Amino acid sequence: MVSASLEEGRSLAVKDSRFVNNQIAGSSAGGAAASVAAGGNASFSAKNVEFSDNAVNAKQAKGGALRLENTGKGTLTADLSGVTFKNNAAAGSENGLGGAIYNDGAQISIDGGVFEGNRAVTSGGALYNGAKGNVTFTGTNVFSDNLAAGAANDVHNEGSITVAGGVTRFDGGYSQSGADSSLIVKTGAALAVALPDAGGVTASPTEALLALGRPLDLGGGSLRVGDVAARSGADVTFGRNSLLVVDGLAARDNAMLTGNGSLAVEEGSKLYIANAQSGESYTVTSGLSFADGDYWKNASLLAGRLMETEISTEGGNVMVHAQAQDASRTLPGVIPTNGLNAMMNGNKNDTESLNAGLRFLSRAMDNVQYMPGDATAVAMVNEVSRASVTAGVQNTALRLADAGADQIARHLSLSFMDENVATDADGVNVWATPMYGNTYTHGMAASGAAVRGNYGGLALGVDKKFGEILGGAVRAGAAVNGGGGKSETRGTATITSNSYSFGGINFYAGWNPGDLNVTASAGWSIGTHDLKLNLPSSMNMGPLSSDVDTTAFVADLRGEYRISTDVADITPHAGVRYTSLSTDSHKVRTKGSTVNSVASDRQDIVQFPVGVTLSKNVDVSGWNVKPLLDVSVIPAAGDTKNTTKVSYAGTHAADSVNTRIMDSTSWSGLVGVQAEKGNLALGINYGMQASKNETDQSVNVGISWKF
């Protein structure tokens, strides 16, 4: 224990120390760990010091860990930096003040303090500040689990307390009494009373923030928040840069700020009702007199972008009345209007809800802290509502299904293989084609959103001639393909990645009477897509994730006719391709909790590719080398849009929206070269398919061997 009576001009400093388990009995004078009394100008400092499990047990206990008292006319200053007070007690049998600190007459500065689990029999669970005391907080200070008279209470103030900078939290509550008592929150500082997260609001360096999670009775004293330019004589004043946050649940049943005297609110001061609910009224102040206009205006009232609020004075109280607004009118273009309306009208909005769906939508609708801009908020909600479309899942699945069918069409085409390995040749063909693709779409899922991706894979096939029909050779076989890839979507508000794998099987046949060639194939492909959506950091929810499975059935019919000339072979071709794409139902989650659920969906799409291929056989050292060029136009019909049916957890409402996943017309081009000799054929080609909103590129290397 340290106990000192400082003389004029003397100082006491303690650094990097611990005061643990000191017990004082039968005395009202000393603190359990340190007692400093002064009769003149003196100072005390403690830096990086811990006070734990100390106690005063006396009739009149003052300061379970530290007592600071000025007994003379001089000044006593105390500088506490990086201090910790845990489980200290002022256990007086008649009176116990300040479970951790008792102050009467000292000027204390506290920078970076932790006060946890302290107890006082009467007042000031952690800190008691007497009528002559002055306490200033800077940095981060946290008071939690402190009790006075058996109830939650961190600080009791009868003197002056100033929050001059940083963030100070009185999680257990604050009490004040006495006509000369005062509480001041300065610019750049934030004080949260029984509202640890301050309603999700963070003060800017130019603001002063007071957040109330339970009623505060000023006990006849004064309160000042922010810069006060005029009417400084008012007992309770909110400056032009002040922000008062009150918890809606507490304000529904009690007046949040009670005092005597006058109230002045400067123009520019803001009032935020955290988690305001439809049809409720909230009492902000009580017992304070004001002239017309001396309270917050509707323009300075904040309660969320889907809540309309009105402010009034009733019976001398400042009252706020809230009413939910229709989401479709307030936020044109937002997708889950039914879900948002169900949440707001059902009073389920809660930015700290344990239900991930309600928490996501509530924070998205919070225009103070989580999502200040309407346009960004709408974009984020929409991108999450149709997460699979945002990630390009359906478009990617279509491209992968087409890639498998394209390999077969090229393998059987007269333009890609010469007569010695064409469909009219005898024997078994075994072929393999490594595949690489680069995909890019923009402006489909949402304005400004772009999906970029790459995939790689391998197609393997085998086929055999099975005779002739109507003078044409018939060859049939089967092929499998598989691989994986990754894409990234940079939307307006989110960044989404899609890591996927795919596989498929196709059965095919060709009929080749001379220069006419007809091919057909049918097959299935499956895809598994692992999505990760990164939300704006202001949402404070971490990434979202989803597992999406797709299945595609593809049937392809193609006809071509070769026209041989001295310059080149000209092969016009036309076909029809039917694709049935199914996207399974899936959930979007955060940390294992469901944000929304999306129903299964199916698109039936028909494409009509028409084009022409130019090729030329050139003999090079016994190899038949064939350069080729193909251009095509591909109209599409059917379900070129995806229907997203989404339901957010906790709302019990569903919404639906259609989003384009492919353009109705695209163009393709391909250049390549084939080299054939005997039973061996090699080839490489580069292709591009483009449309208004899409550009896909592919590279394929093929090898074929005829037994």
Side-chain angles (χ1 to χ4, degrees):
M1 184 193 78
V2 175
S3 180
S5 179
L6 298 181
E7 297 179 1
E8 177 78 23
R10 299 298 297 273
S11 64
L12 174 65
V14 183
K15 182 179 180 182
D16 300 327
S17 303
R18 299 180 69 226
F19 294 85
V20 180
N21 202 29
N22 294 283
Q23 306 291 321
I24 299 298
S27 171
S28 62
S35 176
V36 179
N41 296 328
S43 64
F44 169 75
S45 67
K47 184 175 182 180
N48 299 328
V49 177
E50 177 186 345
F51 300 86
S52 298
D53 300 300
N54 304 290
V56 173
N57 296 284
K59 287 184 179 180
Q60 301 292 329
K62 297 180 179 180
L66 181 62
R67 176 182 177 182
L68 297 167
E69 188 169 7
N70 188 353
T71 59
K73 296 182 179 180
T75 58
L76 172 61
T77 61
D79 183 6
L80 308 181
S81 175
V83 290
T84 299
F85 293 84
K86 287 188 177 182
N87 304 321
N88 303 288
S93 59
E94 293 183 0
N95 197 23
L97 304 175
I101 300 176
Y102 172 88
N103 175 44
D104 193 13
Q107 297 178 9
I108 304 176
S109 61
I110 302 176
D111 184 358
V114 175
F115 297 77
E116 179 182 337
N118 302 287
R119 305 287 186 268
V121 169
T122 307
S123 298
L127 169 63
Y128 177 90
N129 189 46
K132 296 187 295 180
N134 188 310
V135 180
T136 300
F137 289 100
T138 56
T140 300
N141 304 281
V142 178
F143 291 71
S144 61
D145 195 29
N146 301 294
L147 299 179
N153 176 258
D154 296 313
V155 176
H156 179 74
N157 176 34
E158 296 182 3
S160 174
I161 288 182
T162 300
V163 184
V167 177
T168 296
R169 288 170 34 194
F170 298 155
D171 292 352
Y174 167 85
S175 58
Q176 181 172 315
S177 64
D180 294 327
S181 63
S182 66
L183 175 62
I184 299 171
V185 182
K186 291 189 174 182
T187 298
L191 173 62
V193 179
L195 195 62
D197 70 340
V201 180
T202 301
S204 74
T206 60
E207 289 181 315
L209 169 66
L210 174 63
L212 301 177
R214 67 174 54 173
L216 172 60
D217 188 343
L218 295 175
S222 65
L223 169 67
R224 190 179 79 202
V225 182
D227 295 335
V228 179
R231 296 176 302 192
S232 58
D235 299 282
V236 177
T237 307
F238 288 88
R240 59 182 180 273
N241 61 338
S242 63
L243 174 58
L244 174 61
V245 178
V246 298
D247 178 64
L249 183 60
R252 186 178 58 188
D253 302 319
N254 303 278
M256 295 304 291
L257 187 60
T258 302
N260 300 324
S262 58
L263 166 70
V265 179
E266 300 289 340
E267 185 177 354
S269 176
K270 297 178 182 178
L271 170 62
Y272 173 47
I273 310 297
N275 297 316
Q277 297 184 334
S278 180
E280 297 288 351
S281 295
Y282 305 98
T283 305
V284 181
T285 71
S286 177
L288 296 169
S289 62
F290 43 83
D292 290 342
D294 285 350
Y295 58 93
W296 295 269
K297 307 300 183 182
N298 286 334
S300 300
L301 185 58
L302 307 169
R305 51 178 45 92
L306 289 183
M307 194 69 69
E308 183 180 71
T309 51
E310 292 184 355
I311 194 165
S312 64
T313 58
E314 298 177 10
N317 300 331
V318 174
M319 302 287 294
V320 173
H321 312 277
Q323 189 66 45
Q325 299 299 291
D326 182 79
S328 62
R329 294 183 180 180
T330 307
L331 299 173
V334 73
I335 289 175
T337 56
N338 294 333
L340 288 169
N341 289 338
M343 178 183 74
M344 299 302 295
N345 291 323
N347 286 334
K348 298 178 180 179
N349 54 304
D350 181 359
T351 57
E352 300 301 322
S353 175
L354 296 178
N355 185 296
L358 296 176
R359 185 165 72 253
F360 171 80
L361 290 179
S362 297
R363 293 187 179 187
M365 294 301 104
D366 185 294
N367 58 355
V368 176
Q369 175 65 14
Y370 294 103
M371 293 299 295
D374 286 359
T376 305
V378 170
M380 181 191 66
V381 171
N382 288 352
E383 287 165 12
V384 172
S385 297
R386 50 188 175 194
S388 64
V389 181
T390 299
V393 167
Q394 290 81 5
N395 183 273
T396 299
L398 284 172
R399 293 296 149 251
L400 297 174
D402 283 345
D406 288 343
Q407 303 311 315
I408 294 170
R410 292 169 187 161
H411 171 69
L412 293 178
S413 174
L414 295 177
S415 301
F416 285 85
M417 296 295 180
D418 205 46
E419 285 80 354
N420 61 334
V421 288
T423 53
D424 61 351
D426 294 328
V428 176
N429 273 340
V430 178
W431 56 275
T433 301
M435 302 181 296
Y436 168 79
N438 174 278
T439 61
Y440 172 64
T441 62
H442 58 94
M444 284 192 183
S447 178
V451 185
R452 296 181 182 273
N454 298 275
Y455 68 86
L458 178 67
L460 298 171
V462 59
D463 51 66
K464 184 180 184 300
K465 181 179 178 180
F466 287 92
E468 294 187 359
I469 296 177
L470 300 177
V474 176
R475 179 172 290 274
V480 295
N481 66 80
K486 187 172 184 177
S487 64
E488 181 180 86
T489 305
R490 291 190 172 270
T492 301
T494 64
I495 298 176
T496 305
S497 64
N498 176 17
S499 298
Y500 55 87
S501 58
F502 63 92
I505 184 171
N506 295 78
F507 299 95
Y508 60 88
W511 177 60
N512 176 219
D515 289 324
L516 175 65
N517 189 35
V518 179
T519 63
S521 68
W524 295 263
S525 66
I526 59 174
T528 59
H529 305 259
D530 182 11
L531 310 187
K532 182 179 179 180
L533 293 85
N534 292 302
L535 302 177
S537 58
S538 62
M539 285 289 289
N540 195 26
M541 287 191 67
L544 309 184
S545 62
S546 184
D547 296 321
V548 185
D549 295 330
T550 58
T551 305
F553 169 76
V554 181
D556 187 71
L557 179 65
R558 170 187 167 105
E560 60 183 3
Y561 188 83
R562 180 171 53 197
I563 303 171
S564 298
T565 70
D566 293 337
V567 177
D569 291 339
I570 303 172
T571 308
H573 55 81
V576 58
R577 177 175 294 176
Y578 166 74
T579 304
S580 178
L581 173 64
S582 297
T583 305
D584 290 349
S585 60
H586 53 278
K587 299 179 183 296
V588 175
R589 296 183 172 91
T590 176
K591 299 178 182 179
S593 299
T594 299
V595 174
N596 66 43
S597 301
V598 180
S600 60
D601 189 27
R602 170 178 159 179
Q603 290 85 51
D604 294 304
I605 300 167
V606 182
Q607 300 177 73
F608 304 94
V610 178
V612 62
T613 304
L614 303 178
S615 61
K616 178 66 175 179
N617 292 322
V618 180
D619 191 313
V620 179
S621 300
W623 284 83
N624 181 45
V625 178
K626 179 185 292 188
L628 55 91
L629 170 68
D630 180 87
V631 291
S632 301
V633 60
I634 311 173
D639 302 322
T640 57
K641 292 185 177 181
N642 164 273
T643 301
T644 300
K645 297 178 181 178
V646 60
S647 175
Y648 276 86
T651 65
H652 306 293
D655 290 272
S656 180
V657 63
N658 292 327
T659 310
R660 181 171 297 281
I661 61 171
M662 67 178 297
D663 289 319
S664 57
T665 303
S666 60
W667 297 264
S668 72
L670 183 142
V671 293
V673 61
Q674 304 291 118
E676 305 155 358
K677 186 175 183 179
N679 293 334
L680 177 65
L682 304 173
I684 183 171
N685 57 74
Y686 163 80
M688 175 181 288
Q689 183 170 329
S691 61
K692 178 181 178 181
N693 298 293
E694 184 175 3
T695 303
D696 300 324
Q697 302 178 76
S698 63
V699 177
N700 300 284
V701 178
I703 180 171
S704 177
W705 180 265
K706 179 173 71 69
F707 290 93

